[in-house]
Amino acid sequence: MTYGRVRSLAGDAWRLRDALEQWITSPPTHTLVDHLNIEHLSDLYITLPTRDGTRRPYEVPEVGDPLPYGHHLAFFHARRAEAQLRADGTDEDISPPSPFTKRMWAGGKITWNSSNPLLVGKSTNGVSTVAKSEKKGFDKGKPMIFVTQKIEYSQGGHTTPSVVEEREHVYFHAEIFANRKKIFDREVKGIPTTVDFSFKYTPTPVTLFRYSALMFNAHHIHLDKEYCEKEEGYPERLVHGPLTAQMLLDTVNFHHPEAKFHKFEYRATNPLFVNRELTINGVWLDKTNIQLWCTDAGGVVGMTGTVEIQ
C-alpha cells in the first residue's frame, strides 16, 4: 500500500470519527404529525390476530375512541423518498452517520397518561429527540452505538403528552456486522415456570408485509429472504420488534380488556423468524404488574416485558 493510500485511509477514518462525534454532540430532532385516521387503524386491526375477528368478535374502531395501547407504533412513520433511504431500505431520521448503518430494535418503554389519552381521528404531534447515545465495543473491535429515541405524543394543544415512548436501537458498523457471528438462541434468565394466560399465532410473510406497509417500513430484513441470508446472515425474514411488542400488549388486552395500562417496558432478546409459531405468555406478579414473554416453537425467548396496570 502506498504512502498516499495510507494517508487517504487515515483521513477517511478521522472524517468518520468527527462526523460521529458531531452527531452525538448535536443529534437530530423531528416532529411528525398524524391524524390517527380510522382507515389506517382498521387496517392495523385486521392485521393483528388479536383483533382481526378470528379469535373474538371484530370491533370496528370509531372516531373519538381512545387509541388502543401501543397502536401508535403503526403511525408517525418517516416519510422519505426512496432515493433518500439506505441500501437496506431504512431511513436516516434518527440514525447516526455512516458506517453505523445496520439497525436493530433492542427494546423500549411506553408510559400512558390515562387522563389525557390519544383519540382516534384527531391531529397528533410526535416530537422525537435523542435522549441518550452511547458508544460501546470500540475498544474490542466491535463498535456499536446505543441510541435511545424519546418521542412525546400530544393532541389538541395539551402541554402534557398523552404518551411518552422511548425506543432503544443499536447501530452496528456495517462492514463489521456483515462478518459478525449471529446468535439466535441466547439463554434468557428469569422466565417464570407458570403461565396465567397465553396467545399463539404464526407471523407469515403476509403478516410481515402488511405490518411493514402500515409502518411505511421498507427494511429488507422483514421482506426479502435472499437479502436476509446473503447480506445479514439470518436464515429467514425477521419479525418486526414493534410488532412483537404490540402483540405482548394486545395479549394482555385480549385476556383482560378492562385493564388500564400505565407503563410498559420490553426487551428484544433473540430474533424471531417468519412462519414459526410464537407463543406470548403472561403471569401476574401482583395486583398491578404482569410479566410477559414471547417464545418460538423451539422455546427460544425472543422478547420479554412487563406491564404496570393502574
Side-chain angles (χ1 to χ4, degrees), residues 86 104 108 122 136-137 153-154 174 188 220 223 230 246 266:
R86 287 174 167 163
M104 182 182 73
K122 191 172 182 179
K136 292 186 178 182
Y153 303 94
S154 58
V188 180
H220 297 344
L223 303 168
K230 294 183 178 180
Q246 193 164 2
Y266 63 98

Side-chain angles (χ1 to χ4, degrees), residues 236-256:
E236 253 294 2
R237 289 150 287 185
L238 273 65
V239 179
H240 309 71
L243 172 57
T244 304
Q246 193 164 2
M247 284 299 298
L248 261 62
L249 288 171
D250 244 31
T251 294
V252 178
N253 175 268
F254 183 88
H255 291 281
H256 301 282

Side-chain angles (χ1 to χ4, degrees), residues 284-306:
W284 287 89
L285 300 177
D286 52 42
K287 291 182 179 180
T288 59
N289 291 280
I290 302 172
Q291 184 172 349
L292 301 162
W293 67 101
C294 178
T295 63
D296 68 12
V300 174
V301 179
M303 183 172 286
T304 61
T306 56

Side-chain angles (χ1 to χ4, degrees), residues 38-49 51-52 58 67 70-75 211 214 243 246:
I38 198 168
E39 292 80 13
H40 193 80
L41 183 59
S42 297
D43 290 341
L44 177 59
Y45 274 24
I46 212 69
T47 299
L48 300 176
R51 293 182 181 269
D52 64 2
Y58 180 78
L67 186 71
H71 282 47
H72 68 277
L73 291 168
F75 296 86
Y211 200 77
L214 287 164
L243 172 57
Q246 193 164 2

Side-chain angles (χ1 to χ4, degrees), residues 100 134-146 171-173 176 180:
F100 294 94
E134 185 178 4
K135 296 189 293 185
K136 292 186 178 182
F138 278 66
D139 57 338
K140 299 178 181 179
K142 298 179 180 179
M144 300 172 284
I145 311 295
F146 286 71
Y171 291 88
F172 299 91
H173 188 292
I176 296 174
R180 184 176 179 176

Side-chain angles (χ1 to χ4, degrees), residues 23 94 96 130 132-133 145-149 167-169 171:
W23 184 91
I94 297 291
V130 175
K132 181 181 178 182
S133 58
I145 311 295
F146 286 71
V147 177
T148 300
Q149 177 186 6
R167 299 179 183 179
E168 298 180 10
H169 289 99
Y171 291 88

Side-chain angles (χ1 to χ4, degrees), residues 218-238:
H219 198 177
H220 297 344
I221 62 170
H222 307 304
L223 303 168
D224 189 334
K225 180 179 180 179
E226 184 178 4
Y227 171 86
C228 289
E229 293 175 335
K230 294 183 178 180
E231 299 295 331
E232 300 277 0
Y234 294 114
E236 253 294 2
R237 289 150 287 185
L238 273 65

